[in-house]
Amino acid sequence: RDQYVVVYGNMLFYAPNNDYRYEYFCNLSEYAGGNYYSQAYQFGDMVYVFPQSAEHILAIDLNKSIRRIELKHECEQQDAFVGAFVYDDHVYILPGRYSALIRFDPKTENVEYLPDIGPFNFGMVNNENTLCARAYQNGKLFFLGVTGEQLLIVDLKTMKTEVVATKFEKTYMVMTPEKDISDVFWLLPFEGTSLTKWNYRTGEMQEYDLYVDGLKSYYAGQQNVECDNRYFSSLAITDDTVYAAPLWGNMFVKLDIKSGRAERWRNPFEVAMAKPEGYSPSWTVGFLLRYRENDRKYYFYYEPLRKSYEIDLHTGKTTEIQQTFQREDLLTHAPGFAKESQWMQY
């Protein structure tokens, strides 16, 4: 599913051999910024591009003719959506500021809305707009509401929902399934360094602490302004260890589940919010993503260098995923002086 990639400037590139060697495909917008689109997937002879800040889907045919499939207009700000993924021949568009989960059928181009997701998905925490914890597991989507008091479960095949009461009274940002088929999730809060193992069916939970000496968190882009939130971005879980990658925190941490002891996780990645010359600032250090086909392996996207890696947590081996773009394509299609977005046109 990585054959197509949307890059800065709202341009679409593709790898003809699905080998991360990308070539220019087409331009998607009159605007050079705004993060209008997130992902693109091909179904038959059509390529569909899914929105991030836009409120439409793009359909592109073999002649690179583009048409819009309009969605209901709701948002006057950016980041209506936060990504899209494929499950069972449908594409699911995850809401950001938008109030509904959207299911798209590429065979018929039918658009289906599951409304009223908003309270479980997006809210204000410490006067900041915040996405709440969410997870995919075994054909279901889980949204843990902004107060933590209720869990919304969506069956992706039927689009039926279930609401489960919890015993939580705070906001969580990360919810990671322990295994593909399990009722257990590991949770990271918006504030503090606690880590919670939680069975959402039985309510059983166990608390751990990821704090280690020297661990601090700093507001993104302000390395001298300390805070007590958003320490970690994501988790990787094995049978005996939980690994945590920093969001605003200043180190990677791992937890021995049996002993409950946390320590610094040594790996090749420097904790920084930008490249040394400061040209490419970032709002996070990076994210861990699990391979769908292999529980042992994870991806790590390292934001300061805009690079992706494969990590085998059992062996500690780290391998960069070589992604290349044709230099001529980049120079030819660089946005240059252009309209930024409909929200900032100069």
Side-chain angles (χ1 to χ4, degrees), residues 7-13 23-29 31-32 64 326-338:
V7 304
Y8 179 79
N10 297 306
M11 291 178 287
L12 185 63
F13 280 67
E23 301 174 4
Y24 177 79
F25 190 80
C26 69
N27 188 31
L28 302 173
S29 172
Y31 297 111
K64 299 184 181 179
Q326 298 296 321
R327 180 178 175 81
E328 184 176 342
D329 282 345
L330 298 177
L331 293 175
T332 301
H333 300 288
F337 183 78

Side-chain angles (χ1 to χ4, degrees), residues 289-292 294-299 310-314:
L289 297 169
R290 186 174 62 82
Y291 265 75
R292 289 186 181 182
N294 189 334
D295 286 342
R296 291 171 57 96
K297 288 188 177 181
Y298 280 75
Y299 291 112
E310 293 180 357
I311 300 179
D312 188 320
L313 296 174
H314 292 262

Side-chain angles (χ1 to χ4, degrees), residues 233-236 243-245 265 286-290 298-300 311:
S233 67
S234 50
L235 299 171
Y243 300 83
W265 174 23
F287 295 91
L288 289 158
L289 297 169
R290 186 174 62 82
Y298 280 75
Y299 291 112
F300 180 66
I311 300 179

Side-chain angles (χ1 to χ4, degrees), residues 230-343:
R230 307 190 194 206
Y231 285 86
F232 303 104
S233 67
S234 50
L235 299 171
I237 301 165
T238 65
D239 291 336
D240 53 14
T241 308
V242 177
Y243 300 83
L247 182 67
W248 292 357
N250 63 347
M251 65 179 70
F252 293 79
V253 174
K254 64 179 181 179
L255 173 82
D256 182 282
I257 297 173
K258 186 175 181 179
S259 68
R261 180 174 176 270
E263 63 181 59
R264 189 167 185 169
W265 174 23
R266 305 286 180 178
N267 59 47
F269 307 111
E270 179 185 0
V271 177
M273 287 290 185
K275 295 171 68 174
E277 79 282 355
Y279 182 72
S280 302
S282 309
W283 300 111
T284 178
V285 176
F287 295 91
L288 289 158
L289 297 169
R290 186 174 62 82
Y291 265 75
R292 289 186 181 182
E293 300 83 5
N294 189 334
D295 286 342
R296 291 171 57 96
K297 288 188 177 181
Y298 280 75
Y299 291 112
F300 180 66
Y301 175 67
Y302 186 49
E303 177 75 7
L305 296 182
R306 304 325 195 242
K307 290 184 177 183
S308 298
Y309 299 82
E310 293 180 357
I311 300 179
D312 188 320
L313 296 174
H314 292 262
T315 65
K317 183 179 180 182
T318 301
T319 306
E320 181 183 345
I321 299 172
Q322 297 294 330
Q323 302 176 69
T324 61
F325 293 81
Q326 298 296 321
R327 180 178 175 81
E328 184 176 342
D329 282 345
L330 298 177
L331 293 175
T332 301
H333 300 288
F337 183 78
K339 291 185 290 185
E340 172 72 13
S341 71
Q342 67 197 65
W343 303 280

Side-chain angles (χ1 to χ4, degrees), residues 196-215:
T196 304
K197 181 181 180 181
W198 175 52
N199 186 311
Y200 76 92
R201 287 299 183 194
T202 67
E204 181 183 358
M205 66 178 71
Q206 187 170 355
E207 294 281 349
Y208 300 88
D209 194 346
L210 292 177
Y211 180 79
V212 298
D213 288 344
L215 177 64

Side-chain angles (χ1 to χ4, degrees), residues 1 3-4 14 40-48 62:
R1 294 296 182 181
Q3 188 169 16
Y4 291 86
Y14 83 116
Y41 301 118
Q42 183 169 354
F43 296 88
D45 294 335
M46 298 294 296
V47 176
Y48 294 99
L62 292 176

